[in-house]
Amino acid sequence: MSKVPLPVTAVTLLMEGGRLFRGDFRRRAQHLQLTQAQTSAIAHLARNPGMTQAELAERLEVHPVTVTQQLDRLQKAGWVRREAHENDRRAQRVY
């Protein structure tokens, strides 16, 4: 059974570009021992220090539990710190 090649479209080019970008990123960031998702979280926090975990989850478009677990690992590794929110005792700001 022969395979029919997919037509080259803007979508296939974008998908291939994304795949190549992820591979390049993994090679370059390997020494940091961070995942792409973790570096994305750090990048958002660098641009918006002090955002809450809920705000970060919304920006990353992931479930808040996922962000909490991710931040637990990042905090343990010394990449981020959490502080109590000054107006909402249920929330934490992340730096």
Side-chain angles (χ1 to χ4, degrees):
M1 189 158 141
S2 64
K3 291 186 179 182
V4 177
L6 294 174
V8 176
T9 64
V11 172
T12 57
L13 290 174
L14 285 171
M15 290 174 62
E16 180 65 10
R19 186 187 67 76
L20 292 170
F21 175 78
R22 287 188 301 278
D24 184 56
F25 172 84
R26 276 191 293 278
R27 280 190 299 283
R28 291 174 183 257
Q30 188 175 21
H31 69 284
L32 299 173
Q33 297 181 340
L34 293 171
T35 65
Q36 191 169 355
Q38 289 171 328
T39 56
S40 182
I42 291 170
H44 278 284
L45 292 168
R47 288 188 300 268
N48 304 286
M51 65 189 329
T52 65
Q53 292 181 191
E55 291 168 336
L56 182 59
E58 188 175 317
R59 294 261 176 103
L60 295 173
E61 298 178 351
V62 296
H63 195 274
V65 173
T66 302
V67 166
T68 299
Q69 294 168 343
Q70 198 173 61
L71 291 175
D72 287 345
R73 289 188 287 275
L74 288 171
Q75 185 173 16
K76 185 177 178 182
W79 287 99
V80 300
R81 77 176 193 284
R82 294 169 168 145
E83 293 181 4
H85 191 287
E86 60 280 356
N87 300 323
D88 183 354
R89 64 184 181 152
R90 298 169 297 164
Q92 292 186 337
R93 293 199 178 274
V94 187
Y95 299 90

